[in-house]
Amino acid sequence: MRWSNLSISADGSLLDRAAPAAPPLPLALPGATVRTFDTPGFAGMTFYEVQAKSLINRVPGASRVPFEWTVNPYRGCSHACSYCLSGDTPILMADGTSRPLAELRRGDAIMGTMGAGACRRYVPTTVLDHWSTTKPAFRVTLADGTRLVASGDHRFLTARGWRHVSPAEAHQPALAVGDLMFGVGRFAEPPKQSHDYQAGFLCGLVRGDTAGLDRARERAERYLEDVPLHEALRWPETPTDGWRRGFLAGAFGSVGRADRLAISFTSADRQFLSRVTEALTQLGLPSRGPVRGNGVVELDRDLWAALRFRHLTGVEGAPLDASGVGVRAGRQLAVVDIEDLGLTLPLFDITTGTSDFIADGVVSHNCFARHTHSYLDLDTGHDFDSKIVVKVNAGELIRRELAAPRWSGAPIAMGTNVDVYQRAEGRYKLMPQILAALRDHANPFSILTKGTLILRDLELLKQAAEVTRVGLSFSVGFVDERAWRAVESGTPSPRRRLDAVRRLTDAGFAIGVLMAPILPGLTDTDESIDETVAAIAAAGATSVTPLPLHLRPGAREWYASWLTRTHPELAPRYRELYGNGSYSPQSYQHEVVARVRMAARRHGLHRATPAEARAIAETERPEQLTLL
């Protein structure tokens, strides 16, 4: 990467060769130096370089964490990427309709997914944030003709996990020709309000059941201004697709019924039902009936058919309930081309409650919302990932604070809010200064990280450990590569993290590993626990600490909705565990700890002491739901 233009000058700002940014300063950051860079890995990001007033922060007394002091040289996280798509990309709404991405707004109900890897199901979710940016654009073409215009860092869910269209970093998994995407396939174009469509609508509505006029009176009266009723009632000799679309919309308004994925037409007029069947067939919609005597024609109960019917016909009054339907991949969603358009285009993205959405029929990733930026007048979604506050005077500040007579030399915890070894640390190099100060003052400290960049500072860590207590912990929730690509591909892979654990262990450090979150009834099986603990033990870790799922308000509601639809047999268990609050009962937590302890014994891994377990577990709690 081209970092030569990012060296820090004596006054704490970057050299002028880094292009200064022009966005307005957040109200909470007066006087900050604002920078943007043309480095591909940091495209679309803004760095606010501040001269902080303090670095060692006291933890609020009401907090449940077991430590009192923290150091956070960054606010926001450059581990994450900014994902964006063309504004005209149709997004699947919760009711089965679609709307262009650029037209979505906060509070809109759309469709997302929940689960991991291929074990995902559709669930309704809410748009939490919406923004636009300008980035180099790529076009991804699928076998069914879908064309998606996206930024290079945008991710889609494939059979090999989440894949970036064209990642800027070599370690990030890249989309490739032949990858199978997950979803339902390209959305159909909505019907044009042509003369044929209007005639077909009136024919289907009136011939089906004249009483149906009451259900669609406003639309029918509008069409009757252009199409005489006697003309609309004639069966055309050669119906056009426009007429067929309108006819099915009118027929549904008259005799149709929607029930979850099912679409059915009921009538005693067999000629009418045969016209319905013919129209469905000609539009490529599989159907059954009418069976002798029942007078019913029904579409195949399939999400693709249910969506295509709604989108092709423009039908009204047919809300879709796809909650709990499984997400699948298919050959029609194979990637056939990835093209750099050579253009910089306006692109859009959203934050949702499930951290994904359905873009023109395929599962698309978005940014996680984080609340740590709100006090800075920055939003908690895109801003967290793209606007990084850097305390450039961290080195001199911590030396001054450690030398102050009032400082007691208490242990300091790092990595408790955002990762101190995120990507931006690779250039700003604030941690070597901080570690050197802690070493020189023999002040005890601990670090919790997912970043393998910690190995850069191994010599400083060894020097500090000679004069004070140094605690190092890694977060490794699982070892399955597909799961990692699905939920946290912006971080080093679990195997790379475990390699770092091994190197730190070889250097003489006792490394604890946090295993979180553990989902009751889903990932708390003996097999899952054993596989993860075995890999942690093989890396040389000295302890492993399990952390069961906790459900904060907001996440609690949509998780409960997903669970009752996809695993209803677990609903009583979850009501028992979480009926009285966000955390599972101590009895369940003790049970999980005991089972992890047994796995640790099998693999020769010492368990964490109670103090270690509390320290690691409490620092990681804010990150849990990023895995769901």
Side-chain angles (χ1 to χ4, degrees):
M1 296 190 301
R2 302 185 302 279
W3 283 108
S4 59
N5 64 337
L6 299 184
S7 58
I8 299 176
S9 63
D11 64 358
S13 62
L14 299 182
L15 293 177
D16 291 338
R17 284 184 295 172
L25 286 171
L27 298 179
L29 297 175
T33 300
V34 187
R35 304 287 179 179
T36 59
F37 312 108
D38 60 3
T39 306
F42 289 83
M45 300 183 69
T46 302
F47 291 84
Y48 294 85
E49 300 171 20
V50 300
Q51 296 287 328
K53 295 180 180 179
S54 64
L55 192 69
I56 302 175
N57 300 313
R58 183 189 291 273
V59 176
S63 175
R64 297 179 58 178
V65 297
F67 46 85
E68 188 177 2
W69 301 94
T70 68
V71 162
N72 291 294
Y74 301 94
R75 292 290 185 184
C77 186
S78 54
H79 269 327
C81 297
S82 176
Y83 315 106
C84 37
L85 287 165
S86 174
D88 60 359
T89 305
I91 306 302
L92 182 60
M93 308 302 288
D95 63 0
T97 61
S98 68
R99 188 183 305 170
L101 176 58
E103 297 179 13
L104 293 180
R105 295 295 180 264
R106 292 184 184 181
D108 284 342
I110 66 171
M111 194 64 74
T113 75
M114 291 192 70
C119 301
R120 306 181 78 89
R121 295 183 183 274
Y122 294 100
V123 292
T125 188
T126 303
V127 176
L128 303 177
D129 203 359
H130 181 275
W131 63 87
S132 62
T133 186
T134 302
K135 285 194 170 188
F138 294 76
R139 181 166 53 214
V140 178
T141 304
L142 307 185
D144 70 351
T146 301
R147 291 188 173 186
L148 297 152
V149 175
S151 65
D153 50 20
H154 194 84
R155 284 192 284 172
F156 294 102
L157 183 61
T158 75
R160 296 193 297 149
W162 292 106
R163 295 275 150 174
H164 297 265
V165 172
S166 181
E169 304 292 337
H171 72 272
Q172 293 174 330
L175 192 68
V177 171
D179 277 340
L180 299 183
M181 287 195 182
F182 276 84
V184 292
R186 182 177 56 170
F187 297 151
E189 292 287 337
K192 295 180 173 60
Q193 296 295 312
S194 64
H195 182 89
D196 279 358
Y197 178 86
Q198 293 175 349
F201 179 87
L202 291 169
C203 183
L205 185 69
V206 177
R207 281 189 175 273
D209 182 357
T210 53
L213 282 171
D214 293 334
R215 299 177 60 185
R217 182 174 299 277
E218 181 179 346
R219 194 174 182 185
E221 289 179 350
R222 187 169 67 248
Y223 290 170
L224 284 169
E225 294 177 2
D226 300 318
V227 182
L229 184 58
H230 70 275
E231 176 186 339
L233 289 175
R234 290 199 298 265
W235 296 114
E237 293 185 7
T238 54
T240 64
D241 278 353
W243 185 91
R244 293 187 181 103
R245 293 186 185 204
F247 173 72
L248 289 174
F252 181 86
S254 177
V255 300
R257 181 173 179 268
D259 181 16
R260 283 185 57 78
L261 299 185
I263 293 287
S264 60
F265 301 83
T266 304
S267 175
D269 186 339
R270 295 185 63 82
Q271 181 186 19
F272 178 79
L273 288 182
S274 69
R275 295 280 184 169
V276 169
T277 302
E278 179 190 22
L280 291 171
T281 301
Q282 291 299 318
L283 293 176
L285 292 167
S287 63
R288 300 185 299 274
V291 178
R292 183 171 54 188
N294 70 1
V296 177
V297 171
E298 184 178 58
L299 263 70
D300 285 0
R301 299 194 181 199
D302 174 82
L303 181 58
W304 176 86
L307 290 175
R308 192 163 182 82
F309 173 80
R310 288 165 173 82
H311 297 167
L312 279 172
T313 64
V315 66
E316 296 176 352
L320 176 70
D321 179 6
S323 299
V325 175
V327 182
R328 297 177 299 192
R331 295 305 310 175
Q332 78 279 10
L333 298 182
V335 177
V336 297
D337 189 37
I338 304 170
E339 178 186 1
D340 185 346
L341 295 180
L343 299 171
T344 298
L345 299 176
L347 301 172
F348 296 79
D349 198 11
I350 54 177
T351 292
T352 74
T354 58
S355 301
D356 66 1
F357 55 97
I358 314 303
D360 205 2
V362 296
V363 181
S364 174
H365 205 287
N366 72 178
C367 294
F368 293 111
R370 285 87 162 179
H371 296 287
T372 57
H373 257 30
S374 59
Y375 80 100
L376 293 175
D377 250 10
L378 299 172
D379 75 62
T380 57
H382 178 62
D383 284 352
F384 183 90
D385 292 339
S386 63
K387 298 182 179 179
I388 312 301
V389 178
V390 185
K391 302 173 185 178
V392 292
N393 61 334
E396 63 182 77
L397 200 55
I398 193 170
R399 284 192 177 274
R400 185 165 70 241
E401 292 178 338
L402 292 173
R406 65 179 179 274
W407 177 245
S408 64
I412 293 174
M414 291 179 280
T416 59
N417 187 9
V418 294
D419 200 331
V420 294
Y421 282 107
Q422 59 178 278
R423 285 188 300 142
E425 170 60 19
R427 176 57 187 94
Y428 279 99
K429 299 180 180 177
L430 300 181
M431 283 303 294
Q433 304 170 57
I434 293 171
L435 294 176
L438 291 166
R439 173 202 62 193
D440 294 346
H441 287 270
N443 201 102
F445 63 90
S446 64
I447 299 173
L448 172 64
T449 184
K450 293 180 180 179
T452 55
L453 186 59
I454 191 175
L455 295 174
R456 179 201 63 189
D457 297 337
L458 180 54
E459 189 58 35
L460 274 172
L461 291 168
K462 290 164 62 176
Q463 294 171 12
E466 292 176 358
V467 296
T468 189
R469 180 164 56 87
V470 176
L472 302 180
S473 303
F474 261 82
S475 173
V476 183
F478 43 80
V479 293
D480 182 79
E481 291 287 311
R482 290 183 64 184
W484 163 67
R485 291 188 179 105
V487 297
E488 54 178 21
S489 67
T491 66
S493 73
R495 297 297 178 183
R496 289 182 62 201
R497 280 178 257 169
L498 290 173
D499 287 342
V501 169
R502 188 174 294 107
R503 287 187 58 184
L504 291 167
T505 299
D506 292 343
F509 290 97
I511 308 298
V513 173
L514 175 70
M515 195 167 73
I518 294 177
L519 307 179
L522 299 173
T523 62
D524 60 352
T525 64
D526 289 338
E527 293 78 10
S528 177
I529 289 174
D530 190 77
E531 180 185 16
T532 304
V533 171
I536 292 170
T542 58
S543 67
V544 58
T545 300
L547 183 57
L549 172 75
H550 76 273
L551 294 172
R552 293 164 290 177
R556 180 187 187 91
E557 289 75 17
W558 54 257
Y559 185 84
S561 175
W562 170 78
L563 185 79
T564 54
R565 287 181 172 87
T566 58
H567 298 281
E569 74 281 3
L570 294 178
R573 178 61 170 156
Y574 273 76
R575 283 194 292 269
E576 177 186 349
L577 291 174
Y578 298 101
N580 296 320
S582 299
Y583 297 92
S584 58
Q586 287 292 317
S587 58
Y588 174 75
Q589 296 186 41
H590 291 161
E591 175 195 341
V592 171
V593 169
R595 293 167 62 207
V596 172
R597 184 183 305 166
M598 288 189 289
R601 287 175 178 169
R602 287 195 299 272
H603 296 286
L605 178 62
H606 298 294
R607 66 184 178 90
T609 66
E612 290 172 336
R614 286 194 301 272
I616 298 174
E618 294 291 354
T619 59
E620 188 68 5
R621 270 184 174 139
E623 296 287 341
Q624 289 182 64
L625 289 176
T626 63
L627 297 182
L628 298 181

